[in-house]
Amino acid sequence: MKVFCEVLEQLYKKVLLGVTLENDSHDYIFYLNPGVSDQDCSTATSLEWANTYGIQGRHQPISVGVAPIAVAPACLKTNSLMSSSGEVMLLQLTVIKVMTTRILSVKTEFHAKEKYRDIIKILLESAKVDSKLICMFQNSDKLLCHMAAQCLALLLYFQLREKITLSNSWIAFCQKNLSEYSESNKAIYCLWTLTAIIKEIFKDSCSQKTEILKQFLTHFDTIFEVFYNSLFSQHFENCQDTSKIVNILICFLELLEFLIASRIYLKLHFTCQRILFLKPSCMLEVITWPIQAFVKRKVIIFLKKCLLFKVGEDLCRGSVPPLMPPDHHVAMDMLALASAVLQAVNSGLLKTLSVYGKHSFFGGDEVQPGCEHIASPDHVILRAASLVIMKSLEIKFQNCSSASEMKVDLQRFMSELLTFLKPHLQPSLQLHNPCKWLSRVFIEQDDDMLEAAKASLGIYLTLTRGCEATESLTQGKEMWDHHTHENGYNPHCIFLFFLKNIGFDSTVLLDFLISSETCFLEYFVRYLKLLQKDWDNFFTICNNFDATESKYDISICDCVPSLVQDQSTNRTTPHHLTAPHSHIDVCAQHSWASDAPSEPLKAMMSKGTDTMCTSSLSSPRASQSLVDYDSSDDSEVESTDQCLANSKQTSLHQQATMEIQDAAGTSRDKEEFSLEPPSRPLFLKEFDTAFSFDCEVAPNDVVSEVGIFYTIVKCFQELQDAICRLQKKNLFPYNPTALLKLLKYIEVISNKTMNTL
């Protein structure tokens, strides 16, 4: 026994280092073939295994030597502790797992890989190790069960890679345990192993991913649909052990996410990959179950990721394949899911969704004695539910041709959403512009905020084109503006509140532009194209913001009365500025903002996609920043010249960060951050250039003293200057020419506007 464990430990060390094994492959089978009984490992048992698998006479311990290792792996136990067969089997499975990983790795030396491959093939063919691993799922030792599942998943993927016939015992095991819902642990390990195999396919760098996945799913396409119907037909309140169905549901959600991701990324169209879209109501019904809140949260987040084409991003630890444009079949499936979501909302889904409950923290969800439990809404659910509804509306409107139908649907569902959100937002939305709901709900999650803003903009553009086609937009312009504000989707208000949240800080905008973590580039380009056409409306809304702040003597960062009050109410009309029309001749030659990304945008996104950096910019100007940008503080003390001199050792992001701060803050001095900014006239009357500003004050003071319109214009100019400086030094991660063209055009319109004042 002692010699057996010593040899096994030495074998583990060799495989861990990727050392080529010298002995015959069958010699190692003696030590790697796990036993299925719970009896202690003994010489007699080992001899029995040796005789069984035709390796009689080779049972003596192999003389193995290995270079001294300074620190022994933590998983290795001393011989005195490794006394049970369970401990021995754990080490055996660990060696098999590491050996299989070495085979799949491109870094393993060729001769070592060939020896490992030969050993694994013998284990699968002669020792039937896959059947033994399946039997371990019944073991009471959870650690052993989990290790067996991990090991089995790698071995099955090895069979797929080597084009070996997939284990018949494994296929039979899945068909038996997934043919109907069962509360046994076998179904959980079955689902987990299937998920792990698909995850390995995603992680692998080989070029035959699609063929491998196709070979794998062929065996399970029908059984997945059967299990889907069986699982979601259960009555949760009648289940004897609710923890079982919760565990199975969580495992199945993870598997389903990978199946959908594989369809989008690898362009396969099996029924099991489409089952959610074919029967979406089954998944939506889970939200109405009397089940734990975290399960409902997972379901809603899962639906959100499906609608945003972000499935699989969080689960794939390796590099995710590039997302291909959705084909017609995927688009139709997304439409089916969006329609099902809206139908469920229309049936009262939001009324059954409780956002209060125990919050999960690192220490659990139980409140310790003596600690006060403060009831607060789960903002994760609020954000996810809001984004699911917004994205569903956008997808449905993209496939709808009736403007009147879209307006009715938009009013109904936005009313449902705002009614759902109202009790959870303090102060109430009744005291605010309804368009502010988006910035308040998503303030803690910038990527979701920008997705919601982009969806809202898409809804606005689609509905506008539909109304223009029927000539209803020009006939009732005032009513149209009232409709956009009342239902909280006016794109200009949403963009203004977004700028307010980031303190009109151009460095934060630049951070979003060079980051690949949000959709800000696409959203910003589409909004700038809209701004060219809808400048008068934007200008009027800016005046309304200023008038509201002046009337109520408050900052619109904190409270903005609704812009959709009854026309008979006494309102202060902005008197200092009037919407000019001198820019119309400039805009006449430009078409309406497109709902789809433009060719220049595609060009910008295509260049440098792989090297697009994720930056973290900090600025004292952001009064209510979306993200705590504190990682660039260390780089502020370095000079630009020094950074450029060490460009080979410094990342693109670090260089860009310093240039951004330099471009945005060259003209600032210490007075900018003073608590007592210098007095300025209420509005500037003359400008040397279109974007010339002499005042240097904090953002909120800028808004209150010169108006929000001028503040936005200055922010755009700072952004344009920063992009130009980065482009000249070849530090911008993609070609910003098209974006600069849009910003330059906004500069021309702004210049004409201010010249008329």
Side-chain angles (χ1 to χ4, degrees):
M1 174 65 190
K2 180 179 179 181
V3 176
F4 184 92
C5 294
E6 287 179 352
V7 173
L8 196 57
E9 289 180 7
Q10 292 299 313
L11 180 60
Y12 171 76
K13 293 178 181 179
K14 278 198 167 188
V15 175
L16 192 64
L17 295 174
V19 177
T20 303
L21 303 178
E22 300 86 1
N23 294 70
D24 185 79
S25 299
H26 287 84
D27 291 334
Y28 300 100
I29 304 301
F30 172 81
Y31 296 96
L32 294 178
N33 188 11
V36 294
S37 66
D38 290 332
Q39 296 178 357
D40 290 343
C41 216
S42 62
T43 305
T45 307
S46 301
L47 286 172
E48 181 180 351
W49 295 346
N51 293 330
T52 302
Y53 300 113
I55 54 175
Q56 188 172 9
R58 300 178 182 267
H59 60 274
Q60 294 300 323
I62 306 168
S63 176
V64 290
V66 66
I69 300 178
V71 180
C75 64
L76 293 181
K77 299 180 180 293
T78 61
N79 294 330
S80 59
L81 296 177
M82 194 178 299
S83 56
S84 67
S85 61
E87 295 289 338
V88 174
M89 282 191 289
L90 281 175
L91 184 55
Q92 288 175 320
L93 298 184
T94 301
V95 176
I96 295 174
K97 178 184 173 182
V98 175
M99 188 176 291
T100 310
T101 304
R102 280 290 184 183
I103 297 173
L104 300 174
S105 174
V106 295
K107 297 180 180 180
T108 307
E109 193 268 331
F110 175 77
H111 295 289
K113 184 181 293 187
E114 287 299 311
K115 174 64 75 172
Y116 298 159
R117 180 181 286 112
D118 188 41
I119 293 173
I120 294 299
K121 284 183 178 181
I122 295 175
L123 281 173
L124 288 170
E125 295 171 3
S126 301
K128 302 296 181 183
V129 70
D130 51 344
S131 300
K132 294 185 177 183
L133 293 174
I134 294 173
C135 293
M136 290 183 188
F137 291 161
Q138 305 178 36
N139 198 293
S140 58
D141 188 342
K142 299 300 181 184
L143 179 59
L144 186 61
C145 293
H146 183 69
M147 182 61 73
Q150 284 186 325
C151 194
L152 180 61
L154 281 173
L155 290 175
L156 292 172
Y157 182 61
F158 170 79
Q159 290 180 321
L160 292 170
R161 274 284 302 270
E162 298 293 320
K163 298 185 185 290
I164 302 174
T165 303
L166 204 60
S167 169
N168 290 327
S169 58
W170 167 249
I171 296 175
F173 176 78
C174 289
Q175 291 176 344
K176 177 182 179 181
N177 290 280
L178 298 181
S179 59
E180 60 180 2
Y181 171 75
S182 172
E183 294 186 1
S184 68
N185 290 329
K186 294 181 181 179
I188 295 178
Y189 286 114
C190 185
L191 294 171
W192 191 95
T193 308
L194 290 168
T195 304
I197 294 172
I198 302 179
K199 189 181 296 185
E200 289 297 325
I201 296 176
F202 268 95
K203 289 166 53 180
D204 202 339
S205 59
C206 71
S207 60
Q208 300 178 343
K209 291 182 179 182
T210 303
E211 292 75 11
I212 294 175
L213 183 63
K214 184 177 180 180
Q215 177 189 354
F216 175 67
L217 293 181
T218 301
H219 300 282
F220 306 102
D221 192 30
T222 305
I223 197 65
F224 281 150
E225 183 178 3
V226 173
F227 184 77
Y228 183 91
N229 296 330
S230 176
L231 174 62
F232 292 110
S233 63
Q234 300 301 310
H235 297 285
F236 181 79
E237 59 276 6
N238 297 334
C239 295
Q240 296 180 354
D241 188 355
T242 58
S243 63
K244 293 287 187 181
I245 190 173
V246 168
N247 291 336
I248 291 177
L249 183 59
I250 296 301
C251 288
F252 188 67
L253 279 177
E254 186 177 3
L255 173 61
L256 201 58
E257 182 172 349
F258 267 110
L259 289 172
I260 298 172
S262 65
R263 184 191 178 197
I264 296 174
Y265 289 115
L266 303 181
K267 294 297 182 182
L268 291 176
H269 300 284
F270 283 89
T271 303
C272 62
Q273 297 173 299
R274 302 184 57 213
I275 187 64
L276 170 68
F277 307 102
L278 296 176
K279 300 178 181 180
S281 58
C282 296
M283 183 68 69
L284 290 166
E285 287 178 1
V286 176
I287 300 176
T288 65
W289 287 3
I291 201 169
Q292 290 93 324
F294 82 92
V295 179
K296 296 184 179 183
R297 176 196 288 190
K298 277 188 171 291
V299 171
I300 296 175
I301 292 176
F302 170 68
L303 295 173
K304 180 193 76 172
K305 290 195 287 188
C306 288
L307 292 169
L308 295 178
F309 288 90
K310 291 187 176 181
V311 283
E313 287 187 343
D314 299 334
L315 301 177
C316 296
R317 295 184 180 179
S319 58
V320 179
L323 178 63
M324 301 178 183
D327 56 23
H328 175 72
H329 299 288
V330 174
M332 290 298 100
D333 283 350
M334 289 298 176
L335 176 60
L337 178 59
S339 300
V341 168
L342 295 178
Q343 184 178 354
V345 172
N346 193 42
S347 301
L349 179 67
L350 294 179
K351 295 182 178 64
T352 66
L353 184 60
S354 175
V355 296
Y356 288 95
K358 295 180 178 179
H359 296 291
S360 297
F361 302 100
F362 289 109
D365 58 2
E366 297 295 333
V367 179
Q368 297 298 321
C371 297
E372 181 181 0
H373 175 69
I374 302 177
S376 61
D378 188 341
H379 290 279
V380 174
I381 293 182
L382 291 179
R383 288 193 296 266
S386 301
L387 189 50
V388 164
I389 294 175
M390 293 296 295
K391 196 64 184 178
S392 297
L393 283 171
E394 182 189 19
I395 293 173
K396 182 179 181 181
F397 288 179
Q398 289 172 351
N399 297 271
C400 182
S401 58
S402 173
S404 58
E405 179 183 345
M406 286 190 286
K407 289 183 70 174
V408 172
D409 285 345
L410 181 63
Q411 188 167 5
R412 178 169 69 250
F413 291 112
M414 287 305 299
S415 176
E416 284 272 355
L417 178 58
L418 294 177
T419 302
F420 168 69
L421 294 174
K422 187 183 299 183
H424 311 302
L425 298 179
Q426 298 298 330
S428 173
L429 279 175
Q430 291 179 340
L431 301 177
H432 293 73
N433 181 336
C435 298
K436 195 176 183 180
W437 74 269
L438 193 147
S439 62
R440 293 184 62 194
V441 170
F442 293 96
I443 185 63
E444 296 179 358
Q445 196 73 29
D446 53 352
D447 54 343
D448 281 354
M449 171 185 282
L450 293 170
E451 288 286 358
K454 184 165 74 77
S456 177
L457 179 59
I459 292 171
Y460 178 86
L461 295 175
T462 304
L463 192 54
T464 301
R465 284 197 300 270
C467 292
E468 281 186 333
T470 59
E471 298 183 356
S472 61
L473 185 61
T474 56
Q475 295 175 359
K477 185 69 169 63
E478 186 175 348
M479 185 173 295
W480 167 253
D481 291 339
H482 177 89
H483 186 271
T484 62
H485 290 295
E486 183 181 35
N487 294 287
Y489 72 102
N490 185 279
H492 303 301
C493 287
I494 290 174
F495 185 72
L496 293 184
F497 282 123
F498 166 70
L499 290 181
K500 273 287 186 179
N501 283 340
I502 63 173
F504 298 94
D505 193 340
S506 61
T507 61
V508 179
L509 293 181
L510 192 55
D511 182 26
F512 282 130
L513 283 175
I514 66 178
S515 171
S516 60
E517 293 186 346
T518 70
C519 64
F520 180 71
L521 173 61
E522 183 179 357
Y523 165 68
F524 191 50
V525 168
R526 292 170 70 181
Y527 178 74
L528 290 179
K529 293 173 66 179
L530 168 66
L531 196 56
Q532 294 176 354
K533 179 70 176 180
D534 205 29
W535 183 262
D536 285 345
N537 193 18
F538 166 76
F539 192 79
T540 302
I541 290 175
C542 287
N543 294 341
N544 288 337
F545 271 55
D546 291 332
T548 301
E549 183 173 355
S550 175
K551 176 180 178 180
Y552 293 94
D553 193 27
I554 56 175
S555 170
I556 59 177
C557 265
D558 302 322
C559 182
V560 181
S562 173
L563 295 178
V564 294
Q565 301 178 38
D566 189 353
Q567 298 296 327
S568 61
T569 58
N570 183 18
R571 292 179 55 182
T572 302
T573 305
H575 61 279
H576 51 277
L577 296 174
T578 57
H581 299 278
S582 59
H583 75 283
I584 295 179
D585 58 327
V586 184
C587 293
Q589 56 186 339
H590 287 261
S591 61
W592 183 257
S594 171
D595 186 38
S598 61
E599 291 302 323
L601 173 61
K602 293 178 181 178
M604 286 190 294
M605 298 178 69
S606 62
K607 180 178 180 181
T609 303
D610 295 334
T611 59
M612 188 176 292
C613 55
T614 303
S615 60
S616 302
L617 308 176
S618 65
S619 173
R621 302 181 63 195
S623 59
Q624 190 177 4
S625 179
L626 296 173
V627 184
D628 185 14
Y629 297 99
D630 59 355
S631 62
S632 63
D633 293 339
D634 296 334
S635 65
E636 290 183 4
V637 299
E638 300 177 14
S639 66
T640 303
D641 295 336
Q642 181 183 3
C643 181
L644 292 175
N646 299 327
S647 58
K648 293 184 179 181
Q649 301 177 359
T650 308
S651 67
L652 173 64
H653 163 246
Q654 289 173 321
Q655 299 182 44
T657 299
M658 292 185 296
E659 291 297 326
I660 291 165
Q661 294 166 343
D662 189 25
T666 302
S667 62
R668 300 178 195 162
D669 53 27
K670 295 181 180 180
E671 293 179 359
E672 175 180 341
F673 309 115
S674 173
L675 296 177
E676 298 179 359
S679 176
R680 301 291 178 186
L682 182 60
F683 295 103
L684 303 181
K685 298 295 184 181
E686 298 179 359
F687 299 89
D688 295 332
T689 62
F691 294 90
S692 173
F693 282 85
D694 294 329
C695 57
E696 293 290 344
V697 292
N700 290 338
D701 297 322
V702 171
V703 176
S704 62
E705 297 195 5
V706 303
I708 193 172
F709 172 76
Y710 297 99
T711 309
I712 295 172
V713 168
K714 181 185 178 184
C715 180
F716 281 170
Q717 177 59 44
E718 291 178 347
L719 178 63
Q720 183 179 345
D721 291 343
I723 295 175
C724 288
R725 294 189 58 166
L726 291 174
Q727 185 187 25
K728 288 179 181 178
K729 297 189 177 183
N730 201 26
L731 292 176
F732 211 74
Y734 53 86
N735 184 7
T737 303
L739 178 60
L740 288 172
K741 186 177 180 180
L742 289 171
L743 289 171
K744 185 66 178 177
Y745 190 75
I746 297 300
E747 177 183 352
V748 174
I749 303 176
S750 303
N751 193 17
K752 286 182 172 290
T753 299
M754 288 183 288
N755 286 338
T756 61
L757 301 180

